[in-house]
Amino acid sequence: MQGAAPGGPESATLLISCPDQPGLVATVTEFIFRNQGNILHLDQHVDTEANVFFMRVEWDLTAFTIPAAAIATAFTAIAEPRQMTWELHFSSNVPRMAVFVSKLGHCLYDILGRYQSGEWRVEIPLIVSNHPDMRAVSEKFGIPYVEFTITKENKREQEDQQIALLKQHNIDFVVLARYMQIISPEMVAQFPNRIINIHHSFLPAFIGAKPYHAAFARGVKIIGATSHYVTSDLDAGPILEQDTVRVNHKDSVEDLVRKGKDVEKLVLARAIWYHLQRQVLVYNNKTVIFN
Amino acid sequence: MQGAAPGGPESATLLISCPDQPGLVATVTEFIFRNQGNILHLDQHVDTEANVFFMRVEWDLTAFTIPAAAIATAFTAIAEPRQMTWELHFSSNVPRMAVFVSKLGHCLYDILGRYQSGEWRVEIPLIVSNHPDMRAVSEKFGIPYVEFTITKENKREQEDQQIALLKQHNIDFVVLARYMQIISPEMVAQFPNRIINIHHSFLPAFIGAKPYHAAFARGVKIIGATSHYVTSDLDAGPILEQDTVRVNHKDSVEDLVRKGKDVEKLVLARAIWYHLQRQVLVYNNKTVIFN
Amino acid sequence: MQGAAPGGPESATLLISCPDQPGLVATVTEFIFRNQGNILHLDQHVDTEANVFFMRVEWDLTAFTIPAAAIATAFTAIAEPRQMTWELHFSSNVPRMAVFVSKLGHCLYDILGRYQSGEWRVEIPLIVSNHPDMRAVSEKFGIPYVEFTITKENKREQEDQQIALLKQHNIDFVVLARYMQIISPEMVAQFPNRIINIHHSFLPAFIGAKPYHAAFARGVKIIGATSHYVTSDLDAGPILEQDTVRVNHKDSVEDLVRKGKDVEKLVLARAIWYHLQRQVLVYNNKTVIFN
Amino acid sequence: MQGAAPGGPESATLLISCPDQPGLVATVTEFIFRNQGNILHLDQHVDTEANVFFMRVEWDLTAFTIPAAAIATAFTAIAEPRQMTWELHFSSNVPRMAVFVSKLGHCLYDILGRYQSGEWRVEIPLIVSNHPDMRAVSEKFGIPYVEFTITKENKREQEDQQIALLKQHNIDFVVLARYMQIISPEMVAQFPNRIINIHHSFLPAFIGAKPYHAAFARGVKIIGATSHYVTSDLDAGPILEQDTVRVNHKDSVEDLVRKGKDVEKLVLARAIWYHLQRQVLVYNNKTVIFN
């Protein structure tokens, strides 16, 4: 398995991207080895077209001679001359996730079931909605539910309130679990590659509203779902995960919706898993997923 | 779509099997047509090897001239001379389902999420368990949780108590949502083709306990799950649904368990759906599923 | 199994569509029953939105009292008052298929392998191409290869030659096995719902040229292929079959092409199978596939 | 993409397994870096249960300062103290593959189609069979066909002839493309992890003869195929690849065979691809596949 699952040893994970050049793997692994770190997982990838190098390395901190707080500084000496963009994560740090919903509950139920079963290493301090429908579910699971009625007029203002609330709760990333509102560029800018959406089609087919109706009208034999990071372009952000399910002429639009819901919730759950496991690097509006 | 989804018109469904003979479809459809029934769905199948005919027909009762209570009697005149085995169901009748669980919650959460979202036309009057672990979940959803501690010595006795409880609550069928007890032939006999199990392997591979460990040891590249009706032969009853997911060398046993859980809950949910929609005919320890 | 596989008894197949009305199944099956036909397969479907009824029925002709040549006339009495659009096919009639190719051989090899193994009940009297590349393959399999060099200027003229050739060889339907030319509306009109194309994307995503390059640029996690009947709208005809395969960041455009080829050839083969088995009804630019 | 595809630069690939210990990645990558090699692909894996380290690294030889013929000797200094088991491959070396067949042609056609299209970097100097059926196909493709009639009495003797023939043609590995003979341990011993078989079930379900009949009798909802290295245990060798396809009650045994054939040929082709790309490491009767 990749990444910091519940129960593993205390570990650190580096996510690196930089211009490709000889010796990158040797240099990074030598840094870890020299300081008594034992590598748990290592993945690398080179986009030969773009000439960009990507790496994810996770190592056991048990015997590591550099204290956690000093690793970033120590690594800067390696990163800077090689123009590395990098992130450092510790398995001891439990990410804080906010869930945004509207009226449909299938993704929310799925997320909360995993959360309460301890399947994920995450905190969910609050659920945000533009409708009252999911309040009862949230309360069932003991999670505060904050409602923001959204109109054309108050949208930006309400989003600013939402941003303030997220900051106040130290939210690391946001999951739009069939949240039926377009996020403004201003809000996206506050959480770059930190807002995960689920769209109910295999993008780039059927962008926008009512994809199941469009799929039915076109007579497709497969439908799908796509989870992606939200950018300021509607349904056009970096894709995290996709999956499909077979349909046929007997399926009405309602059947597509029913079958699609099961794909949506699994695709979203996998995308959240990759994000939580620190397996995702974004480049050129695409993702490298080291899983 | 097949069957009585929430919101459709009042309908009747006939499930028929009999020795194959000419004129069966003509006779049954003529019976419905003559009495002003409008066919909503019709499926038939002939097992040419076994020479058995299977049929499912669902029709709108709105203009049907025979009252619901008299249909069975009227149909007997057709069924008897042709040696038909048949069932008659009405969409107005909401089935009552009991869920049996042990310690794992993923299937239970999935079932309860669908139940409370109104995805299924079913009642769940009670949850039965041999452990206390899922009591909190059941209470969250407001469903009575009845615990039966099971030992080698008291098993048959406890099962008799369970049967009595199920009868008392007019339970139509039972779902074993990762219930980790073998059901005795005596209990199976009370609910023939009415106990749905989920087994965490693609049967007939990895029968019995710890299939994920066995799959890991064998080094398979796909794992799966199987939902079947329970018979007195362990993991050998008629299969309702199966599905698989890809794994690789990076997956530990824990990863197989994690990935497998998602397959299990979807496979079980689809099996329950077929059963609820009255789409299942059983013959020769196999299922015909008209979906 | 559905349809006239090699080796089955002599059978007839009716494909019917008409406005939905009570008694349709009863009337058609009674017609077959009364004349001593034994139904082998029956499928029906109602598009409740469009209020259209679809039916496919195949019956054993062994004891049928109406001679094959007189069935169409006899059935007209049933069809006309109900405004049925219908086709009658006999399993003894082996369809004649022409394959169009350009430079890529994967679909052609797959088709010819199935053909020579006797997997399909079909004749392939000729292969047509706008390039010389596949001549050697055709000759290996002993099938005449006819080349039409196509330029902007001579396209319509060459197509007229192709149409004449197809008519002369009594071709029933055409398969575009990665034929890299757009078929003119004039040619489509000669073979309505009788030209099967394979497009190398999961339509409606990535219409037009170079879909694998577009998929790579978008960073999708699944790619696919679509087989459809050709209409005068590019890549917009009724879809016969689709399938997908998973890709990831490690896959270059060349890898997408390689993985996609395997999907293309299977999807195309399945579409041809449905067509050969007379399982396809077209309505509203969509297909009903009774398989 | 992984590995030496047609058209890439001249490269070397190391496949390594050894007891896990700190510094392995650093040491190997430093060796390549120091000698001016540019890493094209690197994958590593640790089986934490067995405490075994696996690595595949491929590097561009263009500027590498050690001549190809001297690399093995140079690397021995690194490998020996760390108890490494290792293989060194050069992309310039084109592997030689023999195909064994019996009476069924679908896998053979698929292999030959890929071979002649140049999809694989491989030579196929001969096809071996225990039946005359596939001679015509082989001759179509211009490949010598050598027939060995096999009886209970002459089996070992004939196998010895086959081994001699394979050695004489410098065959690197053997593909059993639905070859319906069990390979003796003596022959397996000559080609350890170099005989690739395709079995027509998702192993370990339905080991042995007639798996489609067994699958039909059991009433499974999915069937599959498995490609594995042949060991002296029937159908129990290390699994290279598996895949499945959905079936239902309408499918006869013949339909399972037909649908299964398409899975078999794709699964076998993928297994051959992994082997050709030097992506496979075998340990504990399981495979690590770095693709």
Side-chain angles (χ1 to χ4, degrees):
Chain A
M1 200 192 66
Q2 300 281 27
E10 172 72 11
S11 68
T13 298
L14 266 171
L15 290 170
I16 302 165
S17 62
C18 65
D20 194 27
Q21 54 203 283
L24 288 167
V25 177
T27 304
V28 175
T29 56
E30 202 272 337
F31 164 76
I32 295 169
F33 176 47
R34 178 169 24 100
N35 295 295
Q36 318 291 339
N38 194 31
I39 292 175
L40 299 172
H41 302 288
L42 181 151
D43 269 292
Q44 61 88 245
H45 171 65
V46 178
D47 184 329
T48 49
E49 217 172 273
N51 202 43
V52 180
F53 170 86
F54 304 90
M55 185 172 177
R56 180 189 187 277
V57 60
E58 182 182 351
W59 70 98
D60 189 337
L61 288 177
T62 315
F64 204 57
T65 54
I66 307 176
I71 297 175
T73 310
F75 189 69
T76 303
I78 287 168
E80 274 201 349
R82 291 167 183 85
Q83 297 171 268
M84 289 178 176
T85 303
W86 55 285
E87 293 173 39
L88 177 66
H89 299 283
F90 296 100
S91 63
S92 55
N93 174 40
V94 179
R96 296 168 66 81
M97 156 175 137
V99 182
F100 278 47
V101 291
S102 291
K103 297 183 167 185
L104 292 171
H106 57 289
C107 287
L108 181 62
Y109 271 116
D110 191 66
I111 287 168
L112 295 180
R114 292 170 196 272
Y115 178 50
Q116 297 232 341
S117 305
E119 203 180 301
W120 291 339
R121 192 165 171 129
V122 74
E123 289 299 329
I124 306 184
L126 79 165
I127 293 170
V128 172
S129 185
N130 58 335
H131 289 288
D133 306 58
M134 292 295 117
R135 179 177 296 279
V137 182
S138 302
E139 285 174 355
K140 230 189 266 299
F141 285 81
I143 301 172
Y145 186 85
V146 189
E147 209 180 317
F148 293 86
T149 311
I150 303 219
T151 63
K152 247 186 240 178
E153 289 69 33
N154 75 357
K155 177 157 182 166
R156 277 299 310 127
E157 192 183 323
Q158 289 289 66
E159 277 192 348
D160 285 341
Q161 300 280 348
Q162 291 176 341
I163 294 167
L165 184 74
L166 297 174
K167 301 275 179 193
Q168 173 197 333
H169 283 82
N170 296 311
I171 296 299
D172 292 303
F173 70 107
V174 172
V175 169
L176 309 182
R178 296 296 308 276
Y179 180 65
M180 299 283 89
Q181 279 285 329
I182 294 171
I183 306 294
S184 305
E186 291 82 356
M187 185 156 177
V188 173
Q190 296 291 319
F191 294 92
N193 296 330
R194 304 216 169 179
I195 305 177
I196 299 175
N197 186 41
I198 178 73
H199 182 74
H200 39 317
S201 82
F202 50 87
L203 290 173
F206 308 126
I207 284 171
K210 300 222 169 258
Y212 292 127
H213 288 78
F216 179 80
R218 181 62 187 91
V220 295
K221 301 299 184 187
I222 50 175
I223 57 169
T226 305
S227 186
H228 61 93
Y229 285 128
V230 175
T231 61
S232 50
D233 269 354
L234 180 64
D235 299 336
I239 293 173
L240 287 156
E241 175 68 344
Q242 299 187 289
D243 213 341
T244 57
V245 68
R246 205 161 260 284
V247 296
N248 62 46
H249 64 270
K250 288 193 270 191
D251 291 309
S252 63
V253 172
E254 289 70 37
D255 291 313
L256 299 198
V257 169
R258 175 176 55 83
K259 291 184 171 184
K261 277 178 175 175
D262 282 352
V263 182
E264 290 168 36
K265 70 190 191 190
L266 287 205
V267 165
L268 180 56
R270 285 189 220 129
I272 294 172
W273 174 261
Y274 303 150
H275 186 91
L276 285 174
Q277 298 300 104
R278 314 297 192 183
Q279 295 175 348
V280 188
L281 276 156
V282 175
Y283 185 76
N284 245 350
N285 203 43
K286 295 162 69 167
T287 61
V288 169
I289 299 194
F290 286 128
N291 76 315
Chain B
M1 199 191 66
Q2 298 282 26
E10 172 72 9
S11 67
T13 298
L14 265 171
L15 289 170
I16 302 167
S17 61
C18 65
D20 194 25
Q21 54 204 285
L24 289 167
V25 177
T27 304
V28 175
T29 55
E30 201 274 337
F31 165 76
I32 295 168
F33 176 47
R34 178 169 24 100
N35 295 295
Q36 318 293 337
N38 194 30
I39 292 175
L40 300 172
H41 301 289
L42 181 150
D43 269 291
Q44 61 87 246
H45 171 64
V46 177
D47 184 329
T48 49
E49 217 173 272
N51 202 43
V52 180
F53 170 87
F54 304 91
M55 185 172 177
R56 180 187 187 279
V57 60
E58 181 182 352
W59 70 98
D60 189 336
L61 288 177
T62 315
F64 204 56
T65 55
I66 307 177
I71 297 176
T73 310
F75 189 69
T76 304
I78 287 168
E80 275 200 349
R82 290 166 185 86
Q83 297 171 267
M84 288 179 176
T85 304
W86 56 285
E87 294 174 38
L88 177 65
H89 299 283
F90 296 101
S91 65
S92 56
N93 174 41
V94 180
R96 294 168 68 80
M97 156 175 137
V99 182
F100 280 46
V101 290
S102 291
K103 297 182 167 187
L104 293 171
H106 57 289
C107 287
L108 181 61
Y109 271 116
D110 191 65
I111 287 168
L112 296 180
R114 291 170 197 273
Y115 178 51
Q116 296 232 342
S117 306
E119 203 179 302
W120 292 339
R121 192 163 171 130
V122 73
E123 288 299 328
I124 305 183
L126 78 166
I127 293 170
V128 171
S129 185
N130 59 335
H131 289 288
D133 307 57
M134 292 295 117
R135 180 177 294 280
V137 181
S138 302
E139 285 173 357
K140 228 190 268 299
F141 285 82
I143 301 173
Y145 186 84
V146 190
E147 208 181 317
F148 294 86
T149 311
I150 303 219
T151 62
K152 249 186 237 177
E153 289 70 32
N154 75 357
K155 178 158 183 166
R156 278 298 310 127
E157 193 184 321
Q158 289 288 65
E159 277 192 348
D160 285 341
Q161 300 280 348
Q162 290 175 342
I163 294 168
L165 184 75
L166 297 174
K167 301 275 178 192
Q168 175 197 330
H169 282 83
N170 296 312
I171 295 301
D172 292 302
F173 71 106
V174 172
V175 169
L176 309 182
R178 294 298 308 275
Y179 179 63
M180 298 283 88
Q181 280 284 328
I182 293 171
I183 305 294
S184 305
E186 291 83 356
M187 185 155 177
V188 172
Q190 297 291 320
F191 293 91
N193 297 330
R194 304 215 168 181
I195 305 177
I196 298 174
N197 185 41
I198 179 73
H199 182 73
H200 38 317
S201 81
F202 50 88
L203 291 174
F206 309 125
I207 285 171
K210 299 219 168 262
Y212 291 127
H213 288 77
F216 180 79
R218 180 63 188 90
V220 295
K221 301 298 185 189
I222 51 174
I223 57 170
T226 305
S227 186
H228 61 93
Y229 284 129
V230 176
T231 61
S232 51
D233 270 354
L234 181 65
D235 297 338
I239 293 173
L240 287 156
E241 176 67 345
Q242 299 187 290
D243 213 340
T244 57
V245 67
R246 206 160 260 283
V247 296
N248 62 45
H249 64 269
K250 287 193 271 190
D251 290 309
S252 64
V253 172
E254 289 69 38
D255 292 313
L256 299 197
V257 169
R258 176 176 55 82
K259 290 185 172 184
K261 277 178 174 175
D262 282 351
V263 183
E264 291 168 36
K265 70 189 192 191
L266 287 205
V267 165
L268 179 57
R270 285 189 220 130
I272 295 171
W273 173 262
Y274 303 150
H275 186 90
L276 285 175
Q277 298 301 104
R278 313 299 192 182
Q279 296 175 347
V280 188
L281 275 157
V282 174
Y283 184 77
N284 245 350
N285 203 44
K286 295 162 68 168
T287 62
V288 169
I289 298 193
F290 286 128
N291 75 315
Chain C
M1 200 191 64
Q2 299 282 27
E10 172 71 11
S11 68
T13 298
L14 266 171
L15 289 171
I16 302 165
S17 62
C18 65
D20 195 25
Q21 53 203 284
L24 289 168
V25 177
T27 304
V28 175
T29 56
E30 201 273 335
F31 164 76
I32 295 169
F33 176 47
R34 177 170 25 102
N35 295 294
Q36 319 291 338
N38 193 30
I39 291 174
L40 299 172
H41 302 289
L42 182 151
D43 270 291
Q44 61 87 246
H45 171 64
V46 178
D47 183 329
T48 49
E49 216 171 275
N51 200 44
V52 181
F53 170 86
F54 303 91
M55 184 172 179
R56 180 188 187 277
V57 60
E58 182 182 350
W59 71 98
D60 189 337
L61 287 178
T62 315
F64 203 57
T65 54
I66 307 176
I71 297 176
T73 310
F75 189 69
T76 303
I78 286 167
E80 275 201 349
R82 290 166 184 86
Q83 298 171 269
M84 290 179 176
T85 303
W86 56 285
E87 294 174 39
L88 176 66
H89 299 283
F90 296 101
S91 64
S92 55
N93 174 38
V94 179
R96 295 168 67 80
M97 154 176 140
V99 183
F100 278 47
V101 291
S102 289
K103 297 182 166 184
L104 292 172
H106 57 288
C107 287
L108 181 62
Y109 272 116
D110 191 66
I111 287 169
L112 296 180
R114 293 170 196 271
Y115 178 50
Q116 296 233 341
S117 306
E119 203 180 299
W120 291 339
R121 194 167 170 129
V122 73
E123 289 298 327
I124 305 183
L126 78 165
I127 294 170
V128 172
S129 184
N130 58 335
H131 288 288
D133 307 57
M134 291 294 118
R135 179 177 295 279
V137 181
S138 302
E139 286 174 355
K140 230 190 267 297
F141 286 82
I143 300 172
Y145 186 85
V146 189
E147 208 180 318
F148 294 86
T149 311
I150 302 217
T151 62
K152 248 186 238 177
E153 289 70 32
N154 74 359
K155 177 155 183 169
R156 277 298 309 127
E157 191 183 323
Q158 290 288 65
E159 277 191 348
D160 286 341
Q161 300 280 349
Q162 290 176 340
I163 294 168
L165 184 74
L166 298 173
K167 301 276 178 191
Q168 175 196 332
H169 282 84
N170 297 309
I171 295 300
D172 292 303
F173 71 106
V174 172
V175 169
L176 308 182
R178 296 297 308 274
Y179 180 64
M180 299 282 88
Q181 280 285 328
I182 293 171
I183 306 293
S184 306
E186 291 83 356
M187 185 156 177
V188 173
Q190 297 291 320
F191 295 91
N193 296 331
R194 305 213 169 182
I195 304 176
I196 298 174
N197 186 41
I198 179 72
H199 182 74
H200 38 317
S201 82
F202 50 88
L203 291 173
F206 308 126
I207 285 171
K210 298 218 170 263
Y212 292 127
H213 288 77
F216 180 80
R218 181 62 186 91
V220 295
K221 301 298 184 187
I222 49 173
I223 57 170
T226 305
S227 186
H228 61 94
Y229 285 129
V230 175
T231 61
S232 51
D233 269 354
L234 181 64
D235 298 336
I239 293 172
L240 287 156
E241 175 68 347
Q242 298 187 291
D243 213 340
T244 57
V245 67
R246 204 161 261 284
V247 296
N248 62 46
H249 65 269
K250 288 193 271 190
D251 290 308
S252 63
V253 173
E254 289 71 36
D255 291 313
L256 299 197
V257 169
R258 176 175 54 82
K259 291 185 172 184
K261 277 178 174 176
D262 281 352
V263 182
E264 291 167 35
K265 71 188 190 191
L266 287 204
V267 165
L268 179 56
R270 284 189 221 130
I272 294 172
W273 174 261
Y274 303 151
H275 187 90
L276 285 175
Q277 299 301 105
R278 314 299 192 181
Q279 296 175 346
V280 187
L281 277 157
V282 174
Y283 186 77
N284 246 350
N285 203 43
K286 295 162 68 167
T287 61
V288 169
I289 298 194
F290 285 128
N291 76 316
Chain D
M1 201 191 63
Q2 299 282 27
E10 172 72 10
S11 68
T13 298
L14 266 171
L15 289 171
I16 302 166
S17 63
C18 65
D20 194 25
Q21 54 203 284
L24 289 167
V25 177
T27 304
V28 175
T29 56
E30 201 273 337
F31 164 77
I32 295 168
F33 176 46
R34 177 168 26 101
N35 295 293
Q36 320 291 336
N38 194 30
I39 292 175
L40 300 172
H41 302 289
L42 182 150
D43 269 293
Q44 62 87 247
H45 171 65
V46 178
D47 184 328
T48 50
E49 217 173 273
N51 201 43
V52 180
F53 170 87
F54 303 91
M55 184 172 179
R56 180 187 186 279
V57 59
E58 182 183 351
W59 70 99
D60 189 336
L61 288 177
T62 315
F64 204 56
T65 54
I66 308 177
I71 297 176
T73 310
F75 189 68
T76 303
I78 286 168
E80 275 200 350
R82 290 167 185 86
Q83 298 171 268
M84 288 178 177
T85 303
W86 55 286
E87 293 173 40
L88 176 66
H89 298 284
F90 296 100
S91 64
S92 55
N93 174 41
V94 179
R96 294 168 67 81
M97 154 175 139
V99 182
F100 279 46
V101 290
S102 291
K103 296 181 166 185
L104 293 172
H106 57 287
C107 287
L108 181 62
Y109 271 116
D110 191 66
I111 287 169
L112 296 180
R114 293 169 195 273
Y115 179 51
Q116 296 233 340
S117 305
E119 202 179 300
W120 291 340
R121 193 168 171 128
V122 72
E123 288 298 327
I124 305 184
L126 78 165
I127 293 170
V128 172
S129 185
N130 58 335
H131 288 288
D133 307 57
M134 291 295 117
R135 179 176 297 279
V137 182
S138 301
E139 286 174 355
K140 229 190 268 293
F141 285 82
I143 300 173
Y145 186 84
V146 190
E147 207 182 317
F148 294 86
T149 312
I150 303 218
T151 62
K152 248 186 236 177
E153 289 70 33
N154 75 357
K155 177 156 183 169
R156 276 300 307 128
E157 192 183 321
Q158 289 289 65
E159 278 192 348
D160 285 342
Q161 300 280 348
Q162 290 175 341
I163 294 168
L165 184 75
L166 297 173
K167 301 276 179 191
Q168 174 196 332
H169 283 84
N170 296 311
I171 296 301
D172 291 303
F173 71 108
V174 172
V175 169
L176 309 182
R178 294 299 306 276
Y179 180 64
M180 298 283 88
Q181 280 285 326
I182 293 171
I183 305 294
S184 305
E186 291 83 355
M187 185 155 176
V188 172
Q190 297 291 319
F191 295 91
N193 296 331
R194 303 215 169 179
I195 304 177
I196 298 174
N197 185 41
I198 179 71
H199 182 73
H200 38 317
S201 82
F202 50 87
L203 291 174
F206 308 126
I207 284 171
K210 299 219 170 262
Y212 291 127
H213 288 78
F216 179 79
R218 180 64 187 91
V220 295
K221 300 299 184 189
I222 50 173
I223 57 170
T226 305
S227 186
H228 61 93
Y229 285 129
V230 175
T231 61
S232 51
D233 271 352
L234 181 64
D235 297 337
I239 293 172
L240 287 155
E241 175 67 347
Q242 299 187 290
D243 213 340
T244 58
V245 68
R246 205 160 262 282
V247 296
N248 63 45
H249 64 270
K250 288 193 271 190
D251 291 309
S252 63
V253 172
E254 290 69 38
D255 291 314
L256 300 197
V257 169
R258 176 176 54 82
K259 290 185 171 183
K261 278 178 173 176
D262 282 351
V263 183
E264 291 167 36
K265 71 188 191 192
L266 287 205
V267 165
L268 179 57
R270 284 188 221 131
I272 295 171
W273 174 261
Y274 302 151
H275 186 91
L276 286 175
Q277 298 302 104
R278 313 299 191 181
Q279 296 175 346
V280 188
L281 276 157
V282 175
Y283 185 77
N284 247 350
N285 203 44
K286 295 161 69 167
T287 61
V288 169
I289 299 194
F290 286 128
N291 75 316

